[in-house]
Amino acid sequence: MSPLASSVVSGPLFVGSYVEYLTSNADSLVRLTLQHVAIIAQAIAIAVPLGVVVGTLITYNDRAATVVLWLAGVMMTVPSIALFGLLIPAFGIGQPPVVVALVLYSQLPVIRNTYVGLDRVDQAAVEAGTGLGMTRFERLRRVKLPMALPVIMAGVRNAVVVLIGIAAIGAFIGAGGLGDLIFNGVSEPDIEELVVGTVVLSLLTLSVDYGFGLIERVLRLRNGEDVELPRLVRGAVTGTDTAPDTGTSAGETA
């Protein structure tokens, strides 16, 4: 084999080496992917209730809303490595400081979308609830939150997509996850490990984004909005038949 051909075969564009790495390290890839998902799930399980509660409370005070949203915006500007370093003395090395950092980073999209969603609820629906004798809490639970849920879900979707990438940096302080592949691939260096880790992380991000986007559209459909959904999903939500129209009714005969 010529030197040029050898360089192409061993170079980063040779797909066969990536497939070989993928098949020989499938167990490790699955384990690290599940570990990555677990980190995100822990952070979101804390961040979403916290952000929704704060976002709801600040709808009753515009001054508090300005301060809270400004603080949440400032938190997003702090570099992740710097924030990890600040949290390590209190939470140690590994996943705990990463989970805490992810909770802090996710507050801006969740709080902001909760605030905006509740603020833009149709006042006619709220007044109708008042006319039915609902208390403020009942109006919030039965009218405002259901109507604002698609906007809140959009904030959660944005937060999760951002957190998947930030969680990969957490491997730098021993949190594990798919970031291990990327950091190992850079330090060794191992091009196959680096590229496969990056591709798997990207596919995970796209899959999660699509899933949350689908949930958001389902919620909008339930609120009466005209949105496009895959046929099977629309049929499951609306209870309609998803079979193709043949142009003849059941009672017609040939």
Side-chain angles (χ1 to χ4, degrees), residues 67-79:
V67 173
V68 170
L69 291 173
W70 178 79
L71 290 174
V74 169
M75 181 56 60
M76 291 291 291
T77 65
V78 179

Side-chain angles (χ1 to χ4, degrees), residues 9 28 30 34 43 47 51 56 62 92 112 123 132 137 141 154 171 175 183 193 201 204 209 213 221 226 241 243 245:
V9 170
S28 177
V30 171
L34 294 177
T56 301
D62 290 339
R112 180 181 58 200
Q123 290 303 309
L132 292 173
F137 178 75
R141 181 175 62 87
F183 279 99
E193 185 174 17
L201 183 65
L204 175 63
D209 181 64
L221 182 65
D226 185 18
D241 186 8
D245 185 9

Side-chain angles (χ1 to χ4, degrees), residues 39-57:
I39 295 171
I40 301 300
Q42 292 177 59
I44 289 298
I46 300 171
V48 171
L50 178 61
V52 170
V53 169
V54 174
T56 301
L57 292 176

